[in-house]
Amino acid sequence: KAGVTQTPRYLIKTRGQQVTLSCSPISGHRSVSWYQQTPGQGLQFLFEYFSETQRNKGNFPGRFSGRQFSNSRSEMNVSTLELGDSALYLCASSLNFAGTASYEQYFGPGTRLTVT
Amino acid sequence: AQKITQTQPGMFVQEKEAVTLDCTYDTSDPSYGLFWYKQPSSGEMIFLIYQGSYDQQNATEGRYSLNFQKARKSANLVISASQLGDSAMYFCAMRGAQGGSYIPTFGRGTSLIVHP
């Protein structure tokens, strides 16, 4: 069974540009979550999508947005990039959304975004 | 608000010995889940073990066990018979309801190095 895939793996952008990251979940998984990992802030939750609907959202500005398609693939978009957006962006999939506390997530390898 | 504290930035252990990684948490939600993840240098987060707040027994998964002490709000990870491949960052996380949303919170991580 193929794992979670993320594209691209590495990306370099200039401040002010926008970027779109893609995540393909494990086959059959309907929930996709996005996380940002930085040395300063650690791992922070961005948002979660289930059946094309955003179910949960972390505390990030509106420049960070996402969507999910009918095949459960998800994209995350960051507009007007700032230097502080440089991070490893991780995507995780699961069978169900986090309506209860107990569910297992499988992470992808991440996209390393560098903003210059 | 939820909070996860991992007080050990780095730990060293001899191969084949057991090691305990500390994690304390804080939440006002009576229903929550506690998770441990491993992140090797490759960057991919790997799910290790889950403990629900209402689970009576400590969770175990192979060489991993979670020492859950609810009254003390601690959820320490015990790795028995350490292997060289266990060298990685380890993150403790929790997910509980915050204002109707299920937002995961991660600790800052513990770097484990296993010596031969």
Side-chain angles (χ1 to χ4, degrees), chain B residues 60-77:
Chain B
T60 59
E61 290 286 347
R63 294 185 299 108
Y64 304 106
S65 61
L66 199 153
N67 184 1
F68 181 45
Q69 297 187 44
K70 196 170 183 177
R72 296 180 60 185
K73 293 190 174 180
S74 75
N76 298 338
L77 177 71

Side-chain angles (χ1 to χ4, degrees), chain A residues 20-103:
Chain A
T20 298
L21 312 182
S22 180
C23 172
S24 293
I26 291 172
S27 177
H29 284 193
R30 296 168 64 191
S31 169
V32 173
S33 296
W34 288 90
Y35 298 83
Q36 181 196 65
Q37 187 175 28
T38 61
Q41 299 298 320
L43 199 65
Q44 294 183 288
F45 172 76
L46 281 155
F47 29 66
E48 177 182 20
Y49 286 87
F50 181 85
S51 293
E52 302 177 64
T53 302
Q54 188 179 89
R55 296 289 178 149
N56 294 291
K57 187 177 187 303
N59 190 26
F60 275 81
R63 300 187 297 108
F64 292 82
S65 63
R67 59 177 176 168
Q68 187 180 34
F69 302 95
S70 58
N71 62 359
S72 294
R73 189 177 70 85
S74 175
E75 288 182 348
M76 189 193 86
N77 184 275
V78 187
S79 62
T80 318
L81 284 165
E82 300 177 0
L83 296 179
D85 297 333
S86 294
L88 179 66
Y89 289 88
L90 293 165
C91 161
S93 78
S94 62
L95 278 171
N96 300 304
F97 72 95
T100 63
S102 59
Y103 80 123

Side-chain angles (χ1 to χ4, degrees), chain B:
Chain B
Q2 297 175 165
K3 187 177 180 182
I4 293 282
T5 303
Q6 293 181 256
T7 57
Q8 308 154 314
M11 289 284 285
F12 296 86
V13 66
Q14 202 76 23
E15 192 180 7
K16 299 179 185 174
E17 291 185 349
V19 62
T20 298
L21 306 183
D22 294 341
C23 172
T24 58
Y25 62 92
D26 192 22
T27 180
S28 56
D29 185 9
S31 175
Y32 52 88
L34 295 157
F35 304 78
W36 276 93
Y37 293 89
K38 171 184 177 181
Q39 188 177 40
S41 55
S42 59
E44 189 168 340
M45 297 282 283
I46 302 167
F47 167 79
L48 295 178
I49 197 165
Y50 162 80
Q51 179 87 40
S53 58
Y54 295 119
D55 293 342
Q56 298 294 316
Q57 307 268 12
N58 284 344
T60 59
E61 290 286 347
R63 294 185 299 108
Y64 304 106
S65 61
L66 199 153
N67 184 1
F68 181 45
Q69 297 187 44
K70 196 170 183 177
R72 296 180 60 185
K73 293 190 174 180
S74 75
N76 298 338
L77 177 71
V78 180
I79 305 175
S80 63
S82 298
Q83 302 173 354
L84 296 179
D86 293 336
S87 294
M89 282 291 291
Y90 288 81
F91 291 93
C92 179
M94 75 177 297
R95 184 184 284 260
Q98 293 187 79
S101 292
Y102 285 86
I103 308 297
T105 302
F106 285 76
R108 298 308 300 266
T110 295
S111 174
L112 176 66
I113 296 176
V114 180
H115 289 299

